Amino acid sequence: MSGILVIAEHRRDEVRPVTLELVGAAQSARRVPEERVAVAVLGAEPERSVPSVSVAGVDEVLTVKLAAGEFDPDAYEAAVRALIEARKPSLVLLPHSIDSFGYAAAVAAKSNHGFATDVFRFGYQDGALVATRGGYGQKVSIEMDFPAREVVILTLRAGVFKPPGARASPSVTSFAAPPARARVVSRSFIEVSAADDVDMTTAEFILAIGRGVGEQANVERFRELAEAVGAVLGCSRPIADAGWLPKSRQIGQSGKTASACKLYLAMGISGAIQHLAGMKHVSTIVAVNADAGASIFTVAKYGIVGDIFEIADALHSHFAS
Amino acid sequence: MKLLVAVKQVAVLDEDFEIRADGRDVHADFLLRDLNEWDDYSLEEAMKIKEAGAAPVEVVVVCVGAAEADESLRKCLAKGADRAIRVWDEAIEGSDSIAVARLLAAVARREKPDMLFAGVQSSDHAFASTGIATAAFLDWPHAAVLTHLAYTAGGKSAVFRRELEGGELHEMQIECPAVLTIQLGINTPRYASLRSIKQAAAKPIEVLSLEDLNVAPGDVGERGSLSRVRRMYVPDKGRAEMIEGSVEEQAARLAQIIKELAGSAS
Amino acid sequence: MTRDPTAVTRVLFEDFAPAAIAVFYVIAFAAVTVFCFGVYVEVRKYRRGSAADVDGRLLARLQAMIGTVLSHRTIAHRDRAAGAAHRLIFYGFVLLFLGTATITLDYDILGPLFGVHFWQGAFYLWFSLVLDVAGVLLTGGLLYMMYRRGWLKPPKLDYARPDRQPGDPDYDRSGYRREDWAFLWTLLLIVATGYLLEAARLVWLEATPEVSAYRWWSPAGAALAAGLRAAGMSAASGAALRTGLWWFHGLLALLFIAVTPFTKVKHILTAAGSLMLRDPLAAQRLPRVPEQQQRAGAQYITDFSWKQLLSLDACTKCGRCHEVCPARAVGAPLSPRDVILSLREFANRTLESATLPAQAELDVHGKGPGQVAMETLWSCRTCMACVEVCPVAIEHVPVIVQMRRQLVEAGQMDPQLKKTLQTIHKTGNSFGEGRRKRATWTKALPFAVKDARKDPVDVLWFVGDYASFDPRNQRVTQGLAWLLQEAGVDFGILYEGESNAGNDVRRVGEEGLYEVLATSNIESLSAASFKTIVTTDPHSYNTIRNEYPDFGGRYEIEHYTTLLLRLLQEGRLRIAHPLGLRVTFHDPCHLGRFNKGYDAPREILRLLGCELIEMGRCRANSFCCGAGGGRIWMPDPVGLDRPAHNRMREAAAIPGLQVYVVSCPKDLTMFEDALKATGNEGRFVVRELIELVREARGQQQAEGAAGVAA
């Protein structure tokens, strides 16, 4: 058994929580209990990230010192390829993240390893690794396998696998990364300015609108409704892209995550995977949509198939304005 | 100056689709074809650079696909692309994004563009791999998920911003020629009128075979892929508890839920 | 006659020195030359336009135009006062003009060439009387117009334009106002000096028996002369006054003739021309893009046809189109009048010089002087209220659509419209639903609806997008299916073989997509076997009836209202009980104004036992719901009123109104929304005519919609 290698993801000197989900996933991937799970932390000062990944299920932490502090596709590629070359794990886990979009496929292509992305379930069937991902706009599920590949790289969907709860003390080893010429250089980070002082990540009750609102003129009535029911108004990507609401109100993969939300009312949102990424963890989701087949109903607790304007008006009347 | 834009003709499922007999894909009758939504943006970005430059810039679109992909290529020509290339051979059937990338890299070696654009992912299977894998085969600098690009055709470097989780932007500089994958919202794609699409039918589409690109059949198809489809199926979807009744009844129940839960929340 | 008839006449140039007469003729020829030059410049301008598609039958067109002009039907249309006053001006002017021509014929042509003189004796006396009366008519008309402009000041004549801001170079319209008043005053002055001249002459020639004996054949002149005499004017002063006035009047009249082609006066010719070239189906059947044409639409002023350039000059700024336009009424930056005037100003500026400017300067799109902005063009609902009301047959809608074609080619349109066009191309409908879902509405029916693609039918029902996919409209569609079934009509639908008929796609300017849709539908229709087509959608009705023949599809098609009426009249559908409701009927643009289908729905309402109270703006003057021209696919600008709300307020003013009746799917959608938005929910309801028929037959509609007459 050659082991499982998890590549940690960090940003701005912090290990991103999705890394721990990968560790959790790695646990269930062990074919025998002795199979070792190693987590590689990459960066300018990788030792500082060790405590963040010292959780149950991690046997070893590999610190890889890189020239640049922030994401550098060439350095990451070279490092991960070298790690795989040296350790020969049977399974390499990365998050299906923006950083991974920038280099994971390059690693797989150059090294000719098995490769699948956005995997939300995987396991071994008859000794062969089988990974499941979505297809045709998430309308079907596809099982992939990797015949004759000794190493398989998977990027895992965020928010699916459970991170381990307990702490642990894995061994820490440094790994020398090969030098890589930096052809892409980090310059700066730009915060998307919050036009209004709203923080979606702390809101406990969110009313989010999507393409179903139709036109910009209709946003106002939902703003009023949100105020009446005591919710923070949020939106899906198309609304923010069109400029109808500031980007700070966007919830989803490239927007905010409704981390503190307990009640999420989605009106006119179909439930594209990128939006779900930001809210599907919420304990009570109520979806209102004219399309009975909208994906949002698969993650919602309650659903109403209907006209969002009629429901909005009727709902408003139950709350003092 | 030349910009190469890789596009994909994606498939959308029709109503009441059926899985094929071999269980590995949807029956072809239920697949509706269209140009990948991301490619509207990457082509538009190329057109903007072409129209902004003083020196002439040739925009070439390339697609790996069977004859039906010509329709999507015509749309690109209608939008102003100068030339279109389609790559197909029976052996390509069953290729994953990495095998496709191998072909795109071969086209790039042949065309020698100054930049190669692709979409972040395709709207059907969303592998989000083809563009970057192509860069690997070319050993070109690469970057993904661009929502902003500052580049003049033929320039030695470009400055771009990629959109991170949470909406933050990361500004970086990249050496050129490079492969960039373009994200939605980077620009406003132009409209291709039916008339211009019809007129674009006059522009030729060059069809290349594996031989033309010096790619061996073993490097494409299932053998050239890094994964294989074992089974495709319609999953049991979780289902919400549907609130039925008249609008009044539904709204009343909804108000009840809100008062129960949000009362503890706010 | 006791005197020699040849002596009973007016001696022309009496007591003029030969040199003076010569001077007069030189000036006259000069004036005519200037006139001819002006006409030449205008004709050269028109010829710089592109080819026009005017069907032959010039004689018939001429006859029709003469009839229209003589009856003043189009000028009196919905403005009786203006019609009456203009008749006075027209007939007064024509008679006076013919009078002068008669004199010229006698004095300058027949006399010198053949020695024939007819302008004398009895003829001369009646001539004098008629012309005096003509002058009074003309004066009356002119005075009313002055009163109208100066005192009544109707808003449509204030020339305020919604498509420019103060500060824009062509915002100020005072130049037009000055021209209008100058026109009125000049004519008035010519007439007044004419009478005074006549009076002065009578005073001067008081002693001449042939003149004074018959002076009351010119009653106005004689009365004035009596007044002058009473004021103490002598014959000698009369002579002097006459001479002075003669030159003044003559030169003013000649000046008037000379400046005709350069001023508003030219409408005399251009209006007649425009009327003669009119296309009665201008807005209903839009022109195709000629195969060989480089550009799909109108980008440059020269892309318009010579007919269109001529009709631009026919506009007299009457403001009726401005008044009836629903976009203008809600504050959108569109006035059909100002589109025409802008293009006219542009044409005058660019096409009247000896050489044609460079093409780049001929672009009519933009925000510069004389150009038309995108926002203006996109505001149009193509409801053709402007075309219908224009007294001089200007065809605004094709002009706007041709300019939209250019915007579509350039991709300059609202993002939502862009998306909708792409959706229609992909799925054949504007809702983005799968093609197979088109006939899902049939599943709620307990009987099967025949598939006209497979089985021959008597009546092929072309359902339309909204009627097929919109939930509120599906109830109506199912209702009609019930009625047809119960009446024993052998009908069927095309199922997935039907696509959006394309009427609005064409009016948006996406001609290429329209051709795709029309071709596809015609293919489906050709493969099916049927006798007639019926449709619930007036937009589909219009395009299939008027435009599909241009694409090879010629069918007998009716709107459901005529079919239902027939079924009711023939007893194939019976009323269980009369509804006894107070209703008003909204004429859908594409059924009413476009295709004159006003009567069948009203007759049905009568048969249903409803009391119909007409809204002020009804029948040909119906006020568009605002959804046409692709506007239903574009968001309404924030803060502006909406045509449907405007219309709803008009209906709400009817006391005791119970039902607002529509017979178009888009109307139903727009007005259901407007009912709520204007706060009229609960006061009256919006119903489709089909729903009322079913109610009268004692049937409830699907989904528990409560009966109105409860």
Side-chain angles (χ1 to χ4, degrees):
Chain A
M1 301 293 107
S2 10
I4 301 164
L5 175 62
V6 171
I7 310 295
E9 178 159 309
H10 85 100
R11 180 161 299 135
R12 310 265 229 139
D13 304 322
E14 277 188 22
V15 171
R16 289 188 67 226
V18 69
T19 307
L20 299 183
E21 294 176 24
L22 300 177
V23 173
Q27 306 314 304
S28 43
R30 280 195 167 98
R31 281 172 288 184
V32 294
E34 309 83 54
E35 188 161 16
R36 290 175 65 81
V37 172
V39 176
V41 282
L42 284 61
E45 293 172 322
E47 323 73 46
R48 295 178 52 180
S49 308
V50 170
S52 316
V53 299
S54 298
V55 294
V58 178
D59 298 304
E60 185 183 7
V61 177
L62 299 163
T63 58
V64 184
K65 191 170 166 64
L66 302 178
E70 292 306 335
F71 177 70
D72 168 356
D74 293 310
Y76 272 55
E77 234 169 84
V80 172
R81 287 187 69 199
L83 277 165
I84 298 175
E85 187 63 37
R87 292 311 187 94
K88 295 207 178 2
S90 55
L91 183 61
V92 182
L93 299 178
L94 280 76
H96 189 62
S97 66
I98 306 293
D99 280 356
S100 296
F101 282 21
Y103 80 104
V107 173
K110 280 216 175 115
S111 311
N112 232 7
H113 299 313
F115 184 59
T117 59
D118 199 21
V119 170
F120 55 78
R121 188 163 61 240
F122 67 94
Y124 288 90
Q125 290 180 25
D126 304 320
L129 178 65
V130 175
T132 310
R133 68 186 313 282
Y136 293 117
Q138 302 302 315
K139 291 214 162 99
V140 297
S141 293
I142 311 179
E143 275 181 6
M144 321 280 297
D145 63 5
F146 314 90
R149 303 285 171 191
E150 290 181 357
V151 180
V152 178
I153 304 172
L154 300 180
T155 71
L156 302 186
R157 182 179 288 182
V160 172
F161 300 92
K162 295 198 79 56
R167 312 264 330 139
S169 302
S171 59
V172 180
T173 324
S174 70
F175 183 89
R181 195 169 74 76
R183 301 180 295 181
V184 188
V185 172
S186 170
R187 278 162 57 123
S188 63
F189 287 86
I190 297 151
E191 270 291 337
V192 170
S193 54
D196 38 10
D197 260 344
V198 77
D199 188 357
M200 304 304 306
T201 59
T202 58
E204 290 186 347
F205 177 16
I206 297 175
L207 190 163
I209 52 175
R211 268 201 247 248
V213 304
E215 14 179 295
Q216 182 168 18
N218 295 332
V219 173
E220 191 53 36
R221 75 208 262 194
F222 289 94
R223 195 196 303 274
E224 287 167 7
L225 177 62
E227 211 176 288
V229 302
V232 177
L233 182 67
C235 66
S236 61
R237 190 191 181 111
I239 306 295
D241 272 355
W244 298 355
L245 282 176
K247 202 90 165 114
S248 52
R249 300 238 176 208
Q250 179 183 325
I251 291 159
Q253 185 177 46
S254 47
K256 298 283 182 278
T257 303
S259 324
C261 187
K262 298 204 179 76
L263 174 58
Y264 192 90
L265 176 54
M267 304 192 76
I269 293 179
S270 60
I273 194 78
Q274 290 89 348
H275 183 76
L276 294 186
M279 46 63 75
K280 67 175 163 52
H281 58 274
V282 175
S283 50
T284 307
I285 300 169
V286 184
V288 183
N289 198 299
D291 177 12
S295 312
I296 190 95
F297 290 122
T298 64
V299 300
K301 190 162 180 189
Y302 302 103
I304 297 178
V305 177
D307 180 300
I308 59 169
F309 300 103
E310 286 182 359
I311 299 288
D313 287 343
L315 182 62
H316 203 145
S317 62
H318 287 268
F319 293 84
S321 26
Chain B
M1 302 299 133
K2 188 189 294 186
L3 301 174
L4 185 61
V5 181
V7 304
K8 180 182 180 187
Q9 189 183 53
V10 298
V12 175
L13 293 185
D14 199 0
E15 296 295 316
D16 311 321
F17 64 90
E18 286 166 16
I19 305 283
R20 223 162 55 184
D22 70 352
R24 295 174 69 199
D25 203 343
V26 167
H27 199 292
D29 284 353
F30 300 95
L31 296 176
L32 305 167
R33 308 277 174 192
D34 196 14
L35 182 64
N36 180 23
E37 191 183 357
W38 272 265
D39 297 339
D40 278 329
Y41 292 87
S42 48
L43 175 61
E44 180 64 29
E45 201 60 24
M47 291 306 302
K48 278 174 63 181
I49 295 167
K50 174 186 166 81
E51 285 159 4
V57 177
E58 191 188 14
V59 172
V60 182
V61 285
V62 57
C63 178
V64 176
E68 65 230 354
D70 279 350
E71 199 189 310
S72 291
L73 286 170
R74 289 255 150 65
K75 221 195 212 175
C76 298
L77 289 169
K79 292 193 183 197
D82 299 288
R83 264 194 307 129
I85 299 170
R86 184 167 62 78
V87 180
W88 191 249
D89 193 293
E90 263 182 40
I92 297 176
E93 188 75 54
S95 296
D96 71 353
S97 46
I98 309 302
V100 169
R102 207 169 270 121
L103 292 164
L104 293 174
V107 173
R109 272 182 225 108
R110 195 179 139 99
E111 288 287 326
K112 301 190 186 16
D114 294 276
M115 286 292 252
L116 196 157
F117 293 167
V120 167
Q121 60 191 43
S122 63
S123 46
D124 53 6
H125 297 320
F127 294 116
S129 314
T130 316
I132 299 302
T134 309
F137 289 124
L138 290 170
D139 201 20
W140 277 16
H142 50 277
V145 200
L146 270 68
T147 53
H148 181 84
L149 173 63
Y151 167 75
T152 358
K156 289 280 187 303
S157 68
V159 172
F160 66 88
R161 291 182 191 165
R162 59 186 194 124
E163 188 181 48
L164 304 175
E165 291 87 352
E168 203 180 22
L169 300 174
H170 185 194
E171 188 169 285
M172 305 183 85
Q173 184 165 322
I174 187 168
E175 285 176 17
C176 302
V179 174
L180 303 174
T181 76
I182 309 294
Q183 174 64 299
L184 307 173
I186 190 174
N187 54 41
T188 308
R190 64 196 58 193
Y191 179 74
S193 75
L194 261 290
R195 193 161 189 270
S196 59
I197 294 177
K198 207 166 132 193
Q199 283 170 338
K203 290 192 194 171
I205 295 176
E206 192 184 356
V207 182
L208 299 176
S209 65
L210 290 181
E211 271 174 14
D212 296 322
L213 295 173
N214 266 321
V215 175
D219 285 338
V220 295
E222 249 179 55
R223 281 201 290 152
S225 300
L226 298 181
S227 63
R228 182 181 69 167
V229 173
R230 245 168 76 113
R231 183 170 84 98
M232 186 180 287
Y233 60 96
V234 181
D236 290 322
K237 290 275 178 76
R239 197 67 191 169
E241 178 192 316
M242 303 310 285
I243 301 174
E244 306 286 356
S246 69
V247 169
E248 278 311 316
E249 289 164 356
Q250 290 171 321
R253 178 82 182 95
L254 182 50
Q256 196 183 27
I257 294 170
I258 291 174
K259 286 177 179 160
E260 274 171 34
L261 293 175
S264 61
S266 38
Chain C
M1 185 132 323
T2 53
R3 282 171 223 281
D4 170 17
T6 58
V8 181
T9 183
R10 168 152 52 94
V11 178
L12 295 175
F13 301 111
E14 188 160 354
D15 275 16
F16 269 56
I21 300 175
V23 167
F24 171 77
Y25 272 97
V26 165
I27 295 175
F29 273 112
V32 170
T33 306
V34 171
F35 173 87
C36 289
F37 175 72
V39 170
Y40 161 72
V41 170
E42 296 304 86
V43 171
R44 181 179 62 190
K45 173 175 70 179
Y46 306 143
R47 291 183 57 155
R48 284 173 170 162
S50 40
D53 186 18
V54 181
D55 63 48
R57 311 181 304 115
L58 283 179
L59 189 59
R61 286 183 168 277
L62 182 64
Q63 285 171 327
M65 181 271 284
I66 290 173
T68 306
V69 170
L70 291 181
S71 69
H72 265 45
R73 174 178 58 84
T74 59
I75 304 184
H77 184 45
R78 270 188 255 138
D79 194 342
R80 307 256 296 270
H86 195 274
R87 265 193 204 97
L88 295 179
I89 294 176
F90 173 79
Y91 280 106
F93 183 91
V94 163
L95 287 170
L96 288 165
F97 182 82
L98 285 177
T100 313
T102 306
I103 299 174
T104 309
L105 180 63
D106 179 282
Y107 187 78
D108 294 302
I109 301 172
L110 291 185
L113 285 180
F114 307 113
V116 171
H117 286 280
F118 60 89
W119 192 54
Q120 57 198 12
F123 176 80
Y124 168 77
L125 293 176
W126 283 104
F127 176 96
S128 303
L129 180 60
V130 166
L131 288 205
D132 244 38
V133 170
V136 172
L137 296 180
L138 179 52
T139 305
L142 289 171
L143 288 177
Y144 172 78
M145 292 308 197
M146 285 182 164
Y147 161 70
R148 188 181 162 88
R149 267 182 200 280
W151 270 264
L152 291 181
K153 294 205 185 136
K156 67 187 178 194
L157 290 182
D158 71 8
Y159 302 155
R161 54 187 307 181
D163 57 348
R164 290 289 190 271
Q165 302 292 333
D168 288 330
D170 48 357
Y171 174 77
D172 183 33
R173 287 298 185 49
S174 33
Y176 280 138
R177 276 190 278 274
R178 282 193 290 271
E179 188 190 24
D180 293 334
W181 281 105
F183 189 10
L184 289 170
W185 277 111
T186 303
L187 274 176
L188 196 61
L189 209 51
I190 293 175
V191 174
T193 51
Y195 278 127
L196 259 176
L197 169 58
E198 191 174 53
R201 173 178 170 268
L202 288 177
V203 169
W204 168 43
L205 295 178
E206 207 186 19
T208 311
E210 292 83 11
V211 172
S212 59
Y214 300 106
R215 68 185 186 283
W216 287 105
W217 283 90
S218 305
L224 259 178
L228 289 176
R229 284 299 271 123
M233 186 175 277
S234 67
S237 348
L241 183 61
R242 172 256 181 185
T243 308
L245 278 173
W246 193 101
W247 279 103
F248 183 80
H249 174 92
L251 290 177
L252 192 58
L254 287 174
L255 181 68
F256 183 84
I257 290 171
V259 302
T260 291
F262 304 96
T263 60
K264 183 175 171 177
V265 187
K266 78 172 95 153
H267 83 270
I268 294 173
L269 300 166
T270 51
S274 180
L275 281 167
M276 193 163 140
L277 297 170
R278 83 182 312 166
D279 175 2
L281 289 180
Q284 300 92 317
R285 184 189 60 201
L286 292 175
R288 290 192 72 163
V289 179
E291 269 304 320
Q292 64 278 16
Q293 190 172 295
Q294 222 195 352
R295 278 180 297 283
Q299 184 176 1
Y300 305 110
I301 188 72
T302 43
D303 288 334
F304 292 109
S305 71
W306 58 263
K307 169 190 157 176
Q308 287 171 312
L309 293 176
L310 169 62
S311 64
L312 293 179
D313 276 344
C315 176
T316 54
K317 315 189 298 293
C318 74
R320 290 178 209 201
C321 59
H322 178 93
E323 204 178 36
V324 297
C325 177
R328 199 268 328 151
V330 297
L334 164 67
S335 161
R337 174 198 66 201
D338 295 319
V339 171
I340 298 301
L341 290 178
S342 286
L343 290 174
R344 173 162 93 188
E345 289 159 20
F346 193 93
N348 290 347
R349 205 179 67 239
T350 54
L351 302 181
E352 285 186 340
S353 36
T355 50
L356 204 53
Q359 196 179 58
E361 293 170 50
L362 299 177
D363 193 337
V364 290
H365 291 266
K367 300 213 156 134
Q371 291 183 314
V372 183
M374 266 200 303
E375 300 76 40
T376 300
L377 294 169
W378 287 124
S379 299
C380 179
R381 269 76 177 168
T382 65
C383 74
M384 82 167 275
C386 48
V387 176
E388 192 271 341
V389 81
C390 181
V392 295
I394 295 174
E395 293 154 8
H396 319 65
V397 170
V399 166
I400 290 174
V401 171
Q402 279 171 284
M403 294 184 80
R404 278 183 171 185
R405 286 178 184 168
Q406 181 53 34
L407 294 179
V408 166
E409 285 303 307
Q412 287 167 329
M413 53 182 132
D414 185 271
Q416 222 156 306
L417 174 61
K418 232 188 257 191
K419 256 204 159 79
T420 306
L421 291 174
Q422 287 164 339
T423 301
I424 294 176
H425 184 210
K426 252 196 281 190
T427 61
N429 65 77
S430 56
F431 289 80
E433 299 281 0
R435 283 175 201 272
R436 284 173 229 254
K437 272 192 163 175
R438 200 170 189 96
T440 309
W441 64 268
T442 56
K443 300 214 173 111
L445 301 166
F447 53 87
V449 174
K450 272 170 98 171
D451 188 342
R453 295 174 296 176
K454 303 186 185 132
D455 308 313
V457 294
D458 272 351
V459 174
L460 188 141
W461 178 8
F462 192 96
V463 187
D465 269 12
Y466 266 78
S468 301
F469 294 105
D470 176 61
R472 175 69 182 93
N473 276 292
Q474 281 175 335
R475 306 210 296 257
V476 174
T477 311
Q478 286 154 350
L480 182 65
W482 273 109
L483 290 174
L484 294 175
Q485 177 80 353
E486 287 157 6
V489 175
D490 176 26
F491 72 99
I493 64 176
L494 288 171
Y495 285 83
E496 294 95 69
E498 179 187 295
S499 297
N500 185 308
N503 185 78
D504 289 12
V505 168
R506 190 170 214 199
R507 276 143 188 81
V508 157
E510 234 295 12
E511 190 70 3
L513 179 56
Y514 176 73
E515 282 184 36
V516 168
L517 292 168
T519 311
S520 166
N521 281 321
I522 290 172
E523 228 176 87
S524 297
L525 288 168
S526 303
S529 166
F530 56 90
K531 297 200 185 106
T532 62
I533 305 179
V534 76
T535 181
T536 25
D537 175 23
H539 289 232
S540 305
Y541 173 62
N542 179 70
T543 196
I544 296 177
R545 179 181 195 219
N546 296 313
E547 297 180 313
Y548 275 26
D550 280 345
F551 292 85
R554 202 171 289 273
Y555 310 103
E556 200 187 307
I557 179 170
E558 62 180 334
H559 184 252
Y560 82 79
T561 42
T562 42
L563 173 60
L564 264 193
L565 178 61
R566 221 164 41 244
L567 294 175
L568 286 167
Q569 287 170 334
E570 288 170 9
R572 289 169 71 180
L573 282 176
R574 288 186 202 284
I575 310 294
H577 59 266
L579 293 175
L581 296 165
R582 173 169 287 195
V583 309
T584 190
F585 182 71
H586 170 82
D587 291 280
C589 299
H590 283 68
L591 173 64
R593 191 164 37 241
F594 273 61
N595 290 294
K596 313 278 192 292
Y598 311 115
D599 298 318
R602 288 177 167 75
E603 186 54 22
I604 293 177
L605 285 170
R606 197 187 65 78
L607 291 175
L608 295 182
C610 290
E611 181 198 3
L612 173 63
I613 312 281
E614 300 276 14
M615 288 181 281
R617 295 176 296 187
C618 66
R619 303 178 73 96
N621 195 20
S622 182
F623 190 78
C624 178
C625 75
R631 286 294 321 182
I632 202 166
W633 300 323
M634 298 182 232
D636 280 315
V638 184
L640 240 49
D641 192 10
R642 297 177 191 208
H645 298 188
N646 180 309
R647 184 56 153 170
M648 205 91 276
R649 289 193 290 270
E650 183 180 7
I654 298 175
L657 178 70
Q658 291 171 290
V659 187
Y660 183 93
V661 184
V662 296
S663 61
C664 163
K666 290 196 178 79
D667 279 339
L668 185 58
T669 305
M670 297 298 283
F671 288 121
E672 284 279 29
D673 204 54
L675 185 74
K676 293 188 204 126
T678 54
N680 282 302
E681 205 170 10
R683 294 187 51 211
F684 55 90
V685 296
V686 175
R687 286 288 183 272
E688 232 271 5
L689 191 55
I690 290 167
E691 297 178 307
L692 288 183
V693 173
R694 296 208 72 219
E695 217 180 290
R697 284 164 57 71
Q699 290 150 344
Q700 291 296 335
Q701 283 289 82
E703 286 184 31
V708 187

